[in-house]
Amino acid sequence: MATLRFLGTSNSIPDLAHGNTHMLLSIDCHNILIDCPGDIIQRMLRLEIPPDHITELILTHFHPDHAGGVSLLLMNMWLTHRTAPLTIYANQHTLNSVQQLMDNSGWQDWPNFYPVNFVTINGSSDRISTLLETGHLRVTSTFVNHFLPTNALRFDFLACEKSIAYSSDTEPCDSFVNLAAGADIVIHEATGAGLGHSSATQAAEIANRIGAEHLYLIHYEARGAELLKLKEEAQAIFNGSVSIAEDYQKIQIDCGCCD
């Protein structure tokens, strides 16, 4: 069983019920954190998953609501005596920013710091790159249309031929459609129509082009939002089923492996 947990679902301004958008994918011995705002430790402890169990971190881009908690997470794992290596995947702009952030934090002088491996996501909006492949999982990525260099992600569960695609922050673009083509589940941002972002209606149009069975709306305006209306807007045109992603909700994929 593979499990994708929504640790947060809000856009850049959270409320009491919705943290900034980030997720955790657990499959086999891998716990892959997808983006890293500021409250990772508390949210993982609420799920009774020790933060030290994170094996990989994928950062989609370097806006604060997606990467603002990186230095705090790395420091907290060091303070709790982590020894296992951590691999961080991101595009070059994001990795440069993370490394500068950590340098400014003085991490070179923190004794007995665990190994951190930085892996660059290369490519462009017309290229799909493979980040990670295990016996049961393949993770691929492409660039999408946002204010900073930003990567969308696809997770293929090889044993059962199921797949999940995540848009990250983007306006509607062909590169995400190409990456996600045929995916069973699409997780798409619904901040609202405009430069660098998408509305619920646009997310549904993209999910139809992909041929998805289920659409999860995420990265929406949480404060005072009419979430039922958001769902209705997407469901009015989407051929499959629509859900509003909520904090601590999980998607489980029965793919013949252990989480």
Side-chain angles (χ1 to χ4, degrees):
M1 187 75 71
T3 303
L4 181 72
R5 296 171 174 88
F6 296 111
L7 300 182
T9 53
S10 171
N11 66 359
S12 56
I13 306 177
D15 65 10
L16 290 176
H18 304 85
N20 294 129
T21 292
H22 58 304
M23 294 170 276
L24 181 72
L25 175 62
S26 301
I27 180 171
D28 294 333
C29 298
H30 295 268
N31 286 295
I32 304 169
L33 182 63
I34 303 153
D35 282 337
C36 187
D39 53 356
I40 299 293
I41 301 294
Q42 298 97 318
R43 288 177 176 266
M44 290 192 64
L45 290 177
R46 176 168 171 175
L47 293 170
E48 299 183 346
I49 303 173
D52 188 57
H53 285 198
I54 297 171
T55 52
E56 292 93 4
L57 168 60
I58 303 174
L59 297 171
T60 61
H61 61 296
F62 198 69
H63 276 153
D65 57 321
H66 292 263
V70 173
S71 59
L72 181 60
L73 174 66
L74 268 59
M75 183 184 72
N76 283 338
M77 291 195 294
W78 169 66
L79 290 172
T80 52
H81 310 295
R82 180 188 178 104
T83 59
L86 176 71
T87 301
I88 300 178
Y89 298 88
N91 59 57
Q92 191 64 65
H93 173 271
T94 300
L95 285 186
N96 289 345
S97 301
V98 167
Q99 289 172 314
Q100 182 177 1
L101 178 67
M102 295 305 299
D103 289 345
N104 290 341
S105 300
W107 73 327
Q108 307 96 325
D109 300 321
W110 298 352
N112 302 315
F113 199 86
Y114 53 90
V116 177
N117 305 314
F118 295 101
V119 178
T120 304
I121 304 174
N122 292 309
S124 62
S125 59
D126 59 0
R127 175 182 169 187
I128 295 173
S129 301
T130 299
L131 278 63
L132 173 68
E133 186 160 359
T134 72
H136 292 118
L137 174 69
R138 180 188 301 116
V139 184
T140 51
S141 178
T142 195
F143 284 73
V144 287
N145 292 352
H146 193 48
F147 303 104
L148 295 177
T150 301
N151 289 88
L153 301 169
R154 177 177 177 138
F155 305 95
D156 285 294
F157 304 99
L158 305 178
C160 61
E161 298 184 347
K162 297 290 185 180
S163 53
I164 297 174
Y166 169 48
S167 70
S168 187
D169 290 12
T170 185
E171 60 192 72
C173 60
D174 290 341
S175 60
F176 179 63
V177 174
N178 294 336
L179 174 73
D184 302 279
I185 296 170
V186 167
I187 302 168
H188 202 289
E189 73 122 288
T191 306
L195 184 64
H197 288 291
S198 303
S199 67
T201 298
Q202 290 172 321
E205 291 169 346
I206 291 293
N208 276 337
R209 290 179 62 190
I210 289 166
E213 298 175 1
H214 201 111
L215 169 65
Y216 285 83
L217 299 176
I218 200 168
H219 201 276
Y220 45 77
E221 173 61 58
R223 298 182 307 159
E226 298 181 30
L227 297 183
L228 179 59
K229 182 178 179 181
L230 203 67
K231 178 179 178 179
E232 289 173 346
E233 288 177 7
Q235 193 65 79
I237 63 171
F238 181 53
N239 297 327
S241 58
V242 177
S243 296
I244 302 293
E246 293 284 359
D247 291 28
Y248 304 110
Q249 182 182 7
K250 60 185 179 182
I251 300 171
Q252 290 187 309
I253 306 291
D254 188 359
C255 56
C257 54
C258 299
D259 62 355

